[in-house]
Amino acid sequence: MLNAPTLEDVARAAGVSRATASRVVRGDVNVTGPKAESVRRAIHDLGYVPNKAARSLVTRSTDAIALIVPEPDARVFNDPFFATAVAAISSRLSTTDKQLMLVMTGRDGDPDRLRRFVRAGHADGLIVMSHQEGDPALEAIAESTAPVVYIGRPPEGSDSLFVDSDNAEGGRIAARHLVDRGRRRLALITGPLRMAAAQDRRDGFLEAARSLDASVVAVEEGDFTLSGGEAATERLLRGAQPFDGVFVSNDLMAIGALRHLQAAGRRVPEDVALIGFDDIALAAEPINAITTIANPVPRLGAEATAMLLDIVRGEPRTPLVFEDLVLQVRKTA
């Protein structure tokens, strides 16, 4: 079996020094002209493939991007939001040499384990998604010497860049739509209020409801899961205040709310109009067909990845917020 061509073979075939050949392989823009062309031709003719392990010792590049999700495994694998985001990140990386590493820490995971991972420099950059105030993981992430991009607003005091949706505007759209449907006594099921997206959706909804002279008669906190939506709806129905419209801050909870309302004998939307957020595929299925606000999750994942790749290359970027949220009207509202 023939030995694989080495960098020395490339240099010899190109008629240049090993150092010059190495600089061309590394992509050094200062090596141009006939020498660079000779090296590239030799690489092609010999079928030379750089030794990434050896190159990483010189360049400190790992050729990996880590996606850190401070959520339990069950939540990540059961919520379509995460699958959509991961697919978008992976698709964007497929045009590069970077590989995706998925790091799930859980809410009560050992922060020292993540801290060791971050300090060891296993990734060229980190993308963080579904983080909450007070997550132990955030302290470890703050120690990263590699660049970090958040999907969603970063924690208070962080100067990391981020990509986000205008969640407050999403809440306003929900309130306006319910009021346009003649609903005046509104309820709200928030997401976990340690999460910026949940806070923003709540605040936008309450602001718009006040401006439209609608009453928000009840607010319950949920956890962005289907069972959490069912439990929050049960608490709303046990409350003393009747309501004729409800904004549920993500679609999984909204599906849970829909099921519980129907089981309790409430007609949707005749008795209670319901609207969700995210526009996951389940929300479009006939059994659910939830009116919802489309969250551009594929764009969030792709743009966060593009932003991080730019930062790794030393290119300047600024935070990015998508404001063009779209209402998908279906049978529930």
Side-chain angles (χ1 to χ4, degrees):
M1 182 177 177
L2 295 176
N3 292 327
T6 65
L7 186 61
E8 287 78 8
D9 295 331
V10 171
R12 189 162 42 250
V16 299
S17 68
R18 186 186 187 284
T20 296
S22 176
R23 290 171 65 192
V24 174
V25 169
R26 295 200 309 270
D28 189 333
V29 296
N30 294 313
V31 184
T32 58
K35 287 186 178 181
E37 287 300 319
S38 295
V39 172
R40 283 192 281 269
R41 187 164 52 250
I43 289 170
H44 177 269
D45 293 345
L46 295 173
Y48 171 72
V49 178
N51 183 326
K52 289 190 176 184
R55 181 164 62 88
S56 68
L57 294 175
V58 177
T59 64
R60 298 296 182 184
S61 174
T62 66
D63 286 333
I65 296 297
L67 172 61
I68 298 178
V69 186
E71 292 281 7
D73 294 6
R75 168 110 201 276
V76 174
F77 291 116
N78 287 316
D79 189 336
F81 175 93
F82 294 104
T84 304
V86 171
I89 294 168
S90 179
S91 176
R92 181 61 183 80
L93 288 177
S94 69
T95 61
T96 74
D97 291 332
K98 306 292 186 188
Q99 298 296 323
L100 177 62
M101 303 169 64
L102 180 58
V103 181
M104 294 180 295
T105 65
R107 291 288 172 210
D108 301 313
D110 180 5
D112 289 333
R113 183 167 175 263
L114 179 59
R115 187 173 285 108
R116 289 192 295 272
F117 172 85
V118 169
R119 287 176 174 173
H122 290 304
D124 295 333
L126 312 178
I127 298 173
V128 184
M129 178 173 65
S130 198
H131 47 287
Q132 298 185 19
E133 294 173 13
D135 278 336
L138 295 178
E139 293 182 9
I141 293 166
E143 297 184 16
S144 174
T145 56
V148 179
V149 169
Y150 284 85
I151 296 179
R153 279 196 287 117
E156 289 292 332
S158 172
D159 59 358
S160 293
L161 292 178
F162 66 93
V163 175
D164 201 4
S165 299
D166 189 345
N167 289 290
E169 177 59 18
R172 289 189 284 268
I173 291 171
R176 289 195 292 265
H177 183 71
L178 290 172
V179 172
D180 285 346
R181 289 294 189 270
R183 310 306 162 124
R184 310 301 300 179
R185 297 179 61 81
L186 308 181
L188 168 64
I189 298 176
T190 74
L193 289 175
R194 293 194 308 161
M195 187 174 289
Q199 297 167 13
D200 291 347
R201 292 172 197 177
R202 175 200 61 188
D203 294 347
F205 182 79
L206 295 176
E207 171 198 320
R210 283 193 300 268
S211 70
L212 296 167
D213 294 326
S215 299
V216 178
V217 298
V219 178
E220 290 290 342
E221 183 175 0
D223 61 1
F224 280 157
T225 69
L226 189 146
S227 61
E230 292 178 334
T233 305
E234 182 180 10
R235 294 194 298 272
L236 286 176
L237 292 176
R238 286 203 313 262
Q241 298 291 338
F243 56 95
D244 58 10
V246 57
F247 171 43
V248 189
S249 296
N250 84 331
D251 285 345
L252 269 187
M253 289 197 302
I255 292 170
L258 174 65
R259 292 177 181 176
H260 194 81
L261 286 167
Q262 291 172 333
R266 304 298 177 93
R267 296 173 303 161
V268 180
E270 292 84 359
D271 298 327
V272 179
L274 180 148
I275 183 169
F277 195 107
D278 278 339
D279 195 23
I280 61 175
L282 284 173
E285 291 185 357
I287 194 171
N288 303 315
I290 291 172
T291 291
T292 184
I293 296 147
N295 194 13
V297 180
R299 290 170 65 195
L300 290 171
E303 288 296 336
T305 308
M307 181 179 289
L308 184 60
L309 292 172
D310 285 346
I311 299 168
V312 168
R313 288 190 293 261
E315 300 176 14
R317 291 295 302 264
T318 56
L320 179 62
V321 177
F322 296 124
E323 299 178 347
D324 52 341
L325 301 183
V326 176
L327 180 71
Q328 297 285 359
V329 180
R330 301 191 179 103
K331 69 179 183 182
T332 61

